[in-house]
C-alpha cells in the first residue's frame, strides 16, 4: 500500500504541462496585426498566408503573379508591398492556388488541365501559348475559363 501511495505521488508531481502564450491579434496605429511568423523560406512574411508562401521575384514583363504547383505564389518584385495592386494580385493567385490544391487546375510545360479538360500548351515564336476553342492564345489571356473564374467575371 505504501508503495502505491509513493507511485501516485510521483505520478501527480510529474504530470504537468505548459500552455504557452496566446497568439491573439493586436493593433498598431489602427492596423490589425497577428503574432504569426513565417520562416524566410515561406516567402514574404507580410504577404504570405498559412500554407501558401508568397515569394517576391523577377517575373517576365507584364506578368504580375504566378500560382505554382508546389503551393507557392510568385508576385512581381515590381509590385509595391502593401499596395492595393499587391492585394489584388495575391487574391487572384490565391484563387488559382486553391483550384490547384483541390484538383480543379493543373499545369505542366505542355498542358493546362481545367475541370478535367486538357488544353495543349506550346512555345510558339518565343511565346507561351495555350490552345482553347481551336485558337492559340498567349498564357495569361483573360479569355481562359480558369482566368474568368479567378477574375470573378
Amino acid at each position: 500500500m505504501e508503495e502505491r501511495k509513493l507511485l501516485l505521488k510521483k505520478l501527480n508531481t510529474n504530470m504537468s504541462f505548459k500552455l504557452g502564450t496566446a497568439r491573439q491579434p493586436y493593433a498598431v496605429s489602427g492596423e490589425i496585426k497577428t503574432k504569426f511568423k513565417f520562416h524566410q523560406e515561406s516567402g514574404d512574411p507580410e504577404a504570405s498566408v498559412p500554407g501558401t508562401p508568397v515569394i517576391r521575384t523577377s517575373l517576365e514583363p507584364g506578368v504580375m503573379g504566378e500560382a505554382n504547383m508546389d503551393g507557392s505564389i510568385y508576385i512581381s518584385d515590381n509590385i509595391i508591398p502593401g499596395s492595393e495592386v499587391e492585394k489584388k494580385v495575391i487574391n487572384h493567385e490565391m484563387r488559382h492556388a486553391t483550384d490547384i490544391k483541390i484538383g480543379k487546375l493543373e499545369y505542366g510545360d505542355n498542358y493546362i488541365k481545367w475541370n478535367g479538360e486538357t488544353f495543349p500548351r506550346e512555345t510558339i515564336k518565343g511565346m507561351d501559348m495555350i490552345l482553347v476553342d481551336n485558337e492559340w492564345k498567349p498564357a495569361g489571356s483573360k479569355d481562359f475559363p480558369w482566368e474568368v473564374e479567378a477574375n470573378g467575371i
Side-chain angles (χ1 to χ4, degrees):
M1 187 68 153
E2 189 67 36
E3 193 175 305
R4 182 175 173 196
K5 285 182 184 179
L6 188 59
L7 179 61
L8 286 173
K9 185 177 179 182
K10 188 176 183 181
L11 285 174
N12 287 333
T13 59
N14 290 332
M15 294 185 74
S16 63
F17 56 92
K18 186 175 180 182
L19 289 175
T21 58
R23 296 185 186 263
Q24 298 173 344
Y26 62 98
V28 175
S29 301
E31 185 178 341
I32 302 298
K33 302 272 187 180
T34 68
K35 292 183 180 178
F36 288 121
K37 297 290 182 202
F38 300 99
H39 299 289
Q40 253 184 328
E41 64 270 14
S42 296
D44 183 337
E46 295 300 319
S48 294
V49 292
T52 307
V54 176
I55 302 161
R56 294 181 187 286
T57 188
S58 177
L59 298 174
E60 292 180 29
V63 177
M64 299 179 81
E66 294 176 353
N68 301 303
M69 290 300 296
D70 68 1
S72 66
I73 291 174
Y74 290 160
I75 61 171
S76 171
D77 54 9
N78 294 324
I79 295 174
I80 298 169
S83 67
E84 285 301 312
V85 171
E86 179 191 59
K87 291 174 188 172
K88 287 180 182 179
V89 170
I90 291 172
N91 186 46
H92 177 90
E93 297 305 330
M94 277 298 297
R95 293 286 301 266
H96 290 317
T98 300
D99 289 343
I100 289 168
K101 286 180 184 178
I102 64 172
K104 194 172 184 179
L105 175 65
E106 178 186 328
Y107 70 87
D109 292 338
N110 303 320
Y111 70 96
I112 301 280
K113 189 180 278 188
W114 173 252
N115 282 335
E117 185 177 355
T118 302
F119 301 90
R121 182 179 195 175
E122 291 182 16
T123 301
I124 300 173
K125 296 182 182 176
M127 291 183 62
D128 184 8
M129 304 291 281
I130 302 165
L131 182 64
V132 176
D133 297 329
N134 293 319
E135 185 180 343
W136 287 99
K137 297 179 182 180
S141 171
K142 293 180 181 183
D143 297 336
F144 297 141
W146 53 91
E147 292 297 342
V148 168
E149 188 166 304
N151 288 319
I153 300 172

